[in-house]
Amino acid sequence: MPSSVETLEFQAETRQLLRLVIHSIYSNKDIFLRELISNASDALDKMRLESLTGSLAEVDTSDLHISLEVDRDARTLTVRDNGIGMTRDDLVELIGTIAKSGTAGLLEKFRESKDAATTESLIGQFGVGFYSAFMVADKVTMRTRRAGTDSGTQWESDGEGSYTIQDADDLPVGTSVTLHLKPADSEDGLADYLSESKIRQTVKRYSDFIRWPIRMATDRTDADGETTSDLDTLNSMKALWARSRSEVTEDEYNEFYQQISHDWLPPAETIHMRAEGTFEYEALLFIPSQAPFDLYSRESKSGVQLYVKRVFIMDDCEALMPNYLRFVKGVVDAHDLSLNVSRELLQHDRQIQGVRRRLVKKVLGAVKDMQAKDAERYTKVWAQFGRALKEGLLEDTDNTEALLELVSAASTHDPEKTTTLRQYVERMKDGQDTIYYLTGETRAMVENSPHMEAFAAKGFEVLILTDPIDEVWVDQVLAFDGHRLQSIAKGQVDLDETADGAKETDAHKVQREQDFAALLPWLTTTLSDHIKQVRLSSRLTTSAACIVGDAHDVTPTLEKMYRAMGQQMPTTKRILELNPTHPLITTLRTAHDTNADDPALTEIAELIHGSALLAEGGDLPDPARFTRLLTDHLTRTL
């Protein structure tokens, strides 16, 4: 018969705190089972350690395990382990923490907490995750016996005003926690925790990689209607990340990747790492072979899962992986975090930030190695995820250089292949110190742009950038490896050669400016509603005119993007550049010098401006007027 029964009253503040734990803290009631299994796993770990290094060398540790026992008639669920167990003093010190920690200061922290995740993290800090059992139970009974002792102890409470501790005889070594379950209630979020399927589902989600077997007796009915009871192991225990890479086969990696990513293709790259020291963790990351359909949707989330000592904590842990690497899938298992750590605390934890930095470098390094050793695989990965990686040039200034080394783009060098910035630099002409590029909606549109003419004629390679993100990052990244990046559609471009490759003399430049001294200001005034300047161009060889921006102007495409996102953008007037050798421009100059008041000249000026806009894929300010003017002039010509 049990003796030494002691009833203890909770303090007033502690009763309030316990009510918060039971009724307010945990938004997901399933995690009570995670907490109890995690506690049991810790007890088994301690048992194993003590058997190797302590005074329990004679204890049999050949079958350390966790058992889940269901009694549907009594409505109880028991979590049992044959681990280290506890003494009466241990129970008061450990399980009684809530009674000892019920201070007004702690309670005030809970009251000040603005969200459930933060409050949940406070629970973890004060070691009372065990009390989450009261979310689903009217009463909790714990029976335990410490290894190496002869007597056991029973702790029991209904989660209200008091708890009892008493001696208990004839207990096996270890701990059992019996939950007297409340009825299932969908409105209160109480599932049927006596259901085999619900228990299996919960264990699979939160405790699948616990190193110890989690067993449960299940009934099976054969073809003859005979019912037998089998002992099933519910968890896989296959925490691949906890093993060395040499111990894991490629098939095991692929199977695990497909399990966590729901992707039927094998990954393009597997990254298996372990960090030891002040903050220990293992990570198993995967770069997919194919981008998910929602990679660029607002609902897309980071794919890295967070575990603590093999216990699942959360999906989509944003604190561990930046948004531009959201396609990376995998697991990070930290050794020194609370099970109840919140997203908010993770984002401000210095150790987690250190883990994040190392993970990012590992992922970028893996892509760089792929680029150097397997160009075909790298090209495929870049085609799938390059657009997302370029977002990092806007978000992650610490890794700008590493990301620039990965950038791959189409160029005028080879119509069939892309090129890296490093390869571009290696091919630059003698004396060239600038990396030239042009952005646009499609490769065909960029290649046929008037801005390309002089560069093509003189053999300068131009990068062809057609991703929407390209419009943004090229304005923020000023240089690569000491070479300035310059849009050939912005600013002054002086290739210092004539179309036939000969150097243009200063005298020739001065004469050309004098020839057009009257036409240029007249055109600037005539077209002032649409442009801010008309000047002569050195970038045109066959087209009559083109539209360019100042060096720091926002591009028209970027203006459209901002407006589509609801941002108010002032209209940027651009510059009209004329080809001084084109017959249309020389004829216009002569006509203007002869009769500047001819109204037809104004219409021709509008047509030249509209044609230049259309050539770059721009929008006409007045399409109907442009069409009428063009039709009228064609009619007169015929």
Side-chain angles (χ1 to χ4, degrees):
M1 184 75 179
S3 60
S4 305
V5 178
E6 185 178 5
T7 300
L8 302 176
E9 293 289 329
F10 290 128
Q11 297 173 3
E13 295 92 344
T14 306
R15 285 198 294 271
Q16 296 178 52
L17 181 57
L18 185 52
R19 280 196 291 271
L20 278 172
V21 174
I22 298 170
H23 302 295
S24 305
I25 302 305
Y26 294 98
S27 57
N28 178 11
K29 291 179 169 55
D30 289 355
I31 64 173
F32 85 89
L33 192 53
R34 180 194 77 178
E35 297 282 350
L36 298 182
I37 290 175
S38 178
N39 290 344
S41 177
D42 287 344
L44 295 171
D45 288 340
K46 292 174 183 176
M47 182 67 141
R48 176 66 173 160
L49 182 63
E50 286 288 330
S51 71
L52 295 174
T53 62
S55 58
L56 301 177
E58 303 301 321
V59 173
D60 182 10
T61 58
S62 61
D63 186 29
L64 297 178
H65 64 276
I66 301 166
S67 297
L68 303 182
E69 301 167 6
V70 172
D71 186 333
R72 291 180 176 82
D73 294 332
R75 289 199 56 76
T76 62
L77 171 63
T78 298
V79 180
R80 186 185 305 276
D81 67 74
N82 57 349
I84 194 70
M86 288 176 280
T87 66
R88 184 188 183 98
D89 290 341
D90 291 336
L91 275 173
V92 173
E93 179 67 25
L94 299 175
I95 304 304
T97 299
I98 193 167
K100 299 174 63 177
S101 303
T103 65
L106 174 58
L107 186 59
E108 189 61 28
K109 287 185 178 182
F110 283 114
R111 288 171 175 162
E112 292 173 357
S113 174
K114 301 298 182 183
D115 61 85
T118 303
T119 313
E120 187 171 314
S121 73
L122 291 172
I123 288 292
Q125 291 175 30
F126 285 87
V128 291
F130 162 79
Y131 283 85
S132 61
F134 285 105
M135 294 188 300
V136 298
D138 293 315
K139 183 173 68 174
V140 175
T141 303
M142 176 183 289
R143 295 164 66 83
T144 183
R145 176 185 153 204
R146 179 71 156 79
T149 66
D150 296 325
S151 61
T153 308
Q154 176 176 300
W155 179 101
E156 190 169 83
S157 176
D158 59 6
E160 294 295 332
S162 64
Y163 61 93
T164 64
I165 293 181
Q166 62 188 38
D167 295 338
D169 298 327
D170 301 325
L171 295 184
V173 170
T175 301
S176 67
V177 180
T178 299
L179 284 66
H180 302 262
L181 294 173
K182 302 174 184 178
D185 187 332
S186 59
E187 292 186 5
D188 290 339
L190 286 173
D192 182 6
Y193 293 109
L194 297 174
S195 161
E196 178 185 331
S197 61
K198 180 61 179 177
I199 293 173
R200 285 183 180 274
Q201 173 191 342
T202 306
V203 170
K204 185 71 175 176
R205 175 167 177 75
Y206 292 103
S207 308
D208 192 44
F209 303 114
I210 292 287
R211 73 176 67 193
W212 309 108
I214 303 171
R215 299 170 182 165
M216 183 172 69
T218 57
D219 292 336
R220 295 289 180 266
T221 303
D222 60 23
D224 297 327
E226 294 292 330
T227 300
T228 57
S229 182
D230 297 324
L231 197 60
D232 285 357
T233 298
L234 306 184
N235 59 325
S236 70
M237 298 176 287
K238 292 182 179 179
L240 299 188
W241 60 84
R243 295 152 60 183
S244 67
R245 181 148 196 162
S246 62
E247 296 174 337
V248 185
T249 68
E250 202 66 28
D251 286 343
E252 286 179 308
Y253 280 132
N254 291 345
E255 180 183 354
F256 180 71
Y257 166 72
Q258 291 168 354
Q259 175 186 336
I260 64 172
S261 68
H262 309 292
D263 184 3
W264 60 275
L265 292 173
E269 184 64 33
T270 299
I271 303 167
H272 194 164
M273 59 184 291
R274 175 176 301 189
E276 297 178 345
T278 55
F279 189 80
E280 296 185 5
Y281 64 92
E282 291 96 24
L284 181 54
L285 307 178
F286 301 93
I287 299 174
S289 299
Q290 181 173 288
F293 71 92
D294 62 346
L295 181 61
Y296 299 106
S297 72
R298 290 184 178 181
E299 289 73 30
S300 180
K301 297 180 180 179
S302 169
V304 175
Q305 300 174 348
L306 175 63
Y307 282 71
V308 173
K309 298 177 184 178
R310 302 196 188 185
V311 177
F312 175 77
I313 302 302
M314 66 178 74
D315 274 318
D316 312 321
C317 186
E318 298 170 0
L320 286 171
M321 197 62 65
N323 186 58
Y324 72 91
L325 293 179
R326 59 190 174 274
F327 57 86
V328 175
K329 303 296 181 183
V331 166
V332 175
D333 189 354
H335 294 193
D336 302 310
L337 289 176
S338 163
L339 286 181
N340 305 105
V341 68
S342 71
R343 293 179 186 271
E344 181 180 349
L345 287 180
L346 280 175
Q347 290 167 354
H348 297 93
D349 187 283
R350 292 180 60 187
Q351 291 178 318
I352 289 295
Q353 292 304 307
V355 173
R356 174 185 170 121
R357 286 192 294 270
R358 288 189 286 272
L359 294 180
V360 169
K361 290 187 182 299
K362 276 288 187 180
V363 172
L364 298 183
V367 179
K368 180 63 179 174
D369 288 345
M370 201 185 302
Q371 183 188 70
K373 300 173 183 177
D374 191 341
E376 183 179 352
R377 189 157 54 105
Y378 159 75
T379 300
K380 291 179 180 178
V381 167
W382 182 262
Q384 295 294 320
F385 305 110
R387 180 177 161 191
L389 283 165
K390 285 185 284 190
E391 293 174 17
L393 293 169
L394 309 176
E395 303 171 9
D396 188 357
T397 55
D398 291 339
N399 288 294
T400 296
E401 291 303 319
L403 286 163
L404 285 175
E405 289 284 358
L406 301 180
V407 169
S408 183
S411 88
T412 55
H413 173 71
D414 188 334
E416 302 297 328
K417 296 180 180 179
T418 59
T419 184
T420 65
L421 296 181
R422 178 65 59 193
Q423 291 168 333
Y424 179 104
V425 168
E426 291 171 352
R427 289 192 298 266
M428 289 198 311
K429 298 177 70 171
D430 291 342
Q432 179 184 349
D433 62 358
T434 302
I435 298 172
Y436 296 112
Y437 69 87
L438 183 60
T439 60
E441 293 184 12
T442 66
R443 176 169 187 150
M445 186 177 292
V446 172
E447 286 181 321
N448 294 320
S449 168
H451 302 99
M452 281 283 194
E453 293 174 0
F455 289 87
K458 299 173 184 179
F460 285 92
E461 182 178 354
V462 179
L463 297 176
I464 300 171
L465 305 179
T466 56
D467 279 339
I469 189 68
D470 293 331
E471 296 281 352
V472 186
W473 75 261
V474 290
D475 279 341
Q476 295 200 24
V477 177
L478 302 179
F480 168 73
D481 196 27
H483 301 281
R484 182 169 60 94
L485 275 72
Q486 179 178 341
S487 168
I488 64 171
K490 282 187 177 185
Q492 291 277 13
V493 172
D494 186 1
L495 300 182
D496 201 28
E497 294 178 358
T498 60
D500 60 6
K503 296 286 184 181
E504 186 177 37
T505 64
D506 291 340
H508 186 274
K509 292 179 181 178
V510 171
Q511 181 61 50
R512 189 178 61 188
E513 293 293 335
Q514 291 175 351
D515 291 342
F516 287 86
L519 179 64
L520 297 182
W522 175 80
L523 282 173
T524 299
T525 301
T526 301
L527 299 172
S528 60
D529 287 346
H530 309 297
I531 63 169
K532 60 184 173 184
Q533 182 186 1
V534 179
R535 68 190 184 199
L536 299 179
S537 178
S538 62
R539 71 185 94 211
L540 297 173
T541 59
T542 57
S543 296
C546 68
I547 304 290
V548 301
D550 269 338
H552 302 293
D553 280 353
V554 175
T555 66
T557 302
L558 196 54
E559 277 189 25
K560 290 179 186 177
M561 289 170 58
Y562 284 136
R563 290 195 180 104
M565 292 185 292
Q567 297 190 31
Q568 297 298 319
M569 291 290 296
T571 301
T572 302
K573 288 186 178 181
R574 300 169 72 208
I575 299 166
L576 177 66
E577 285 194 351
L578 305 179
N579 180 355
T581 63
H582 194 279
L584 175 60
I585 303 304
T586 56
T587 302
L588 177 63
R589 185 198 74 190
T590 301
H592 178 266
D593 290 346
T594 303
N595 184 9
D597 295 330
D598 186 350
L601 297 182
T602 299
E603 295 179 350
I604 292 173
E606 290 184 47
L607 288 172
I608 291 173
H609 173 251
S611 298
L613 278 174
L614 290 174
E616 71 164 10
D619 298 326
L620 294 169
D622 189 344
R625 175 174 173 78
F626 178 85
T627 302
R628 180 175 57 79
L629 290 177
L630 180 62
T631 302
D632 290 347
H633 279 269
L634 289 174
T635 301
R636 287 198 294 269
T637 301
L638 292 173

